Amino acid sequence: MIKLPRPCVDCQVVTRSARCTNCQRLKDRTRPTPTQRGYDSKWRKLSKEFRNAYPYCFKCGSTKDLTTDHIVSKKNGGQSIWSNLQTLCRSCNSIKGSN
């Protein structure tokens, strides 16, 4: 697949990806690590157990490239408990974004 030039989502410089290299570097530097965001070994274990219990995407039914997602994000006060989790494929999780 050939990526066509388009404006960077941050600075509008023409690039072949969503962000130019300068903006991507800045974004990478400012985002906390997964551990700093609360995704530690306890989360990885819970996530694996949840995906084993529900091995399909809740949105499209796919069984490929699954992730465990918070229904109410941690940023918005959601907890890492079973009633606040859903299994999503990476594609559906990306579409959902951080809403």
Side-chain angles (χ1 to χ4, degrees), residues 4 35 40-41 49-50 52 54 61 68 73 88 92-93 97:
L4 299 174
T35 303
D40 53 10
S41 60
E49 289 171 358
F50 193 83
N52 285 336
Y54 300 98
T68 305
S73 69
L88 296 176
C92 288
N93 198 352

Side-chain angles (χ1 to χ4, degrees), residues 2 5 10 13 36 47 53-54 59 65 70 84 86 93 97 99:
I2 298 173
D10 295 324
V13 169
Q36 290 169 330
S47 175
Y54 300 98
K59 299 240 185 232
D65 202 14
H70 289 91
N84 188 40
Q86 60 185 345
N93 198 352
N99 297 331

